[in-house]
Amino acid sequence: MTLTKIQDNEIKQLAMEKRFTKRKTKAEQDKQIAEWQMFYLNNMDIFTEDYLGMPLHYFQRTLLLDTWKYDIMDIIASRGISKTFTIAIMATNLALLLPGVNILLTSLTLGQSNKIIDEKIDVLFSSKAKGISPVLKQLREEGFIKFGKSDTGDAKVVEFGNGSRIYSACCGESSRGNRSNIVIVDESRLIKKTDYDAIIEPTLEPYSFNGLYLEPKQFFITSARAKNNWMWKHL
């Protein structure tokens, strides 16, 4: 028997096996998707490096693992240690893995909040020219990830094909009435505690989707400050 005939027989055999393979029911497919979802949520470092293709330092892996483990986190880090990069990864991962979730990025000014979306999620992660994640670049090209602005101002918004949304806002009066399941506060030491309690925290509500229920999550990221700052007591 020639090599060509052997290859032809192998191809026919594979085709027959594929034809008679039992197709999974929708319930089985949903279960498999849910299992992968929970695996990646509990191992967001693996999701970031192996799935999205973005390299991480050890401390970044640890922060991402804690993101899913805890509902409230205080992260104090010095300048130049890539706080904004880590914030953007946290937000992007949660938006991809939790369909329909609303993630609010807030800080003292709108410009600072927009910067996380503009410089990291937009340019660094997914742009055609510089994007470091081939998966995010492809999702953007296919229209699954879309960048825009809010209808009422200059706040930046990232919308995902699964219904999730990342949007920016300042910690001020204009942010009243927003709704979110997760709040990420950049340079929280600069924000007044009274403003956060009165404006941002009331936006939070539990997340619920297809039987997955989560309490609201709050992440406070800041550089170091003196002990008289409210972040010290919060920590």
Side-chain angles (χ1 to χ4, degrees):
M1 184 179 291
T2 64
L3 179 61
T4 302
K5 288 184 178 180
I6 294 174
Q7 290 174 336
D8 288 343
N9 288 336
E10 289 178 346
I11 292 172
K12 289 178 181 178
Q13 181 65 29
L14 290 171
M16 290 292 291
E17 291 176 0
K18 184 176 182 181
R19 185 183 304 172
F20 291 106
T21 299
K22 182 182 177 181
R23 292 185 177 181
K24 294 181 180 179
T25 64
K26 186 176 185 305
E28 290 173 334
Q29 289 177 340
D30 290 344
K31 180 181 179 182
Q32 189 176 45
I33 292 172
E35 288 174 349
W36 275 109
Q37 177 196 29
M38 296 310 299
F39 172 78
Y40 280 136
L41 283 169
N42 283 284
N43 299 275
M44 279 202 282
D45 57 334
I46 296 176
F47 182 72
T48 304
E49 291 194 308
D50 293 353
Y51 189 83
L52 297 183
M54 293 193 287
L56 297 171
H57 294 292
Y58 178 79
F59 79 92
Q60 292 170 327
R61 294 192 195 102
T62 303
L63 287 176
L64 289 176
L65 290 172
D66 288 346
T67 297
W68 180 243
K69 186 176 180 180
Y70 300 110
D71 292 334
I72 298 177
M73 284 180 63
D74 291 330
I75 303 169
I76 298 178
S78 63
R79 292 179 59 85
I81 204 169
S82 69
K83 292 194 297 294
T84 309
F85 179 84
T86 307
I87 292 171
I89 291 177
M90 288 165 54
T92 303
N93 286 358
L94 291 169
L96 289 170
L97 293 170
L98 296 174
V101 73
N102 282 310
I103 302 174
L104 171 58
L105 300 175
T106 189
S107 59
L108 181 64
T109 66
L110 180 60
Q112 187 174 349
S113 301
N114 282 340
K115 187 176 181 181
I116 299 172
I117 293 177
D118 285 338
E119 295 187 1
K120 305 304 177 185
I121 302 176
D122 185 352
V123 176
L124 183 60
F125 291 176
S126 63
S127 67
K128 292 182 180 180
K130 299 180 180 179
I132 62 175
S133 171
V135 174
L136 293 179
K137 288 168 69 174
Q138 181 178 350
L139 291 176
R140 184 173 185 171
E141 290 172 0
E142 294 175 351
F144 185 87
I145 300 176
K146 297 180 180 179
F147 293 83
K149 289 185 178 181
S150 67
D151 298 332
T152 57
D154 294 325
K156 297 298 178 70
V157 180
V158 188
E159 294 182 338
F160 295 77
N162 62 357
S164 296
R165 186 170 65 113
I166 302 173
Y167 69 100
S168 62
C170 68
C171 185
E173 294 296 325
S174 61
S175 297
R176 291 186 184 276
N178 287 325
R179 290 290 178 267
S180 63
N181 310 113
I182 298 169
V183 167
I184 302 176
V185 190
D186 188 26
E187 286 298 351
S188 52
R189 66 182 179 84
L190 301 177
I191 294 175
K192 292 182 179 179
K193 181 66 161 58
T194 53
D195 288 343
Y196 179 83
D197 291 342
I199 299 170
I200 301 300
E201 191 170 26
T203 70
L204 285 163
E205 56 189 16
Y207 170 85
S208 180
F209 185 86
N210 281 357
L212 178 60
Y213 178 89
L214 301 174
E215 291 294 335
K217 288 181 174 291
Q218 303 173 72
F219 304 114
F220 301 87
I221 296 92
T222 182
S223 50
R225 195 70 168 185
K227 288 187 177 181
N228 62 353
N229 186 267
W230 69 273
M231 273 301 302
W232 180 266
K233 293 181 180 179
H234 193 267
L235 177 64

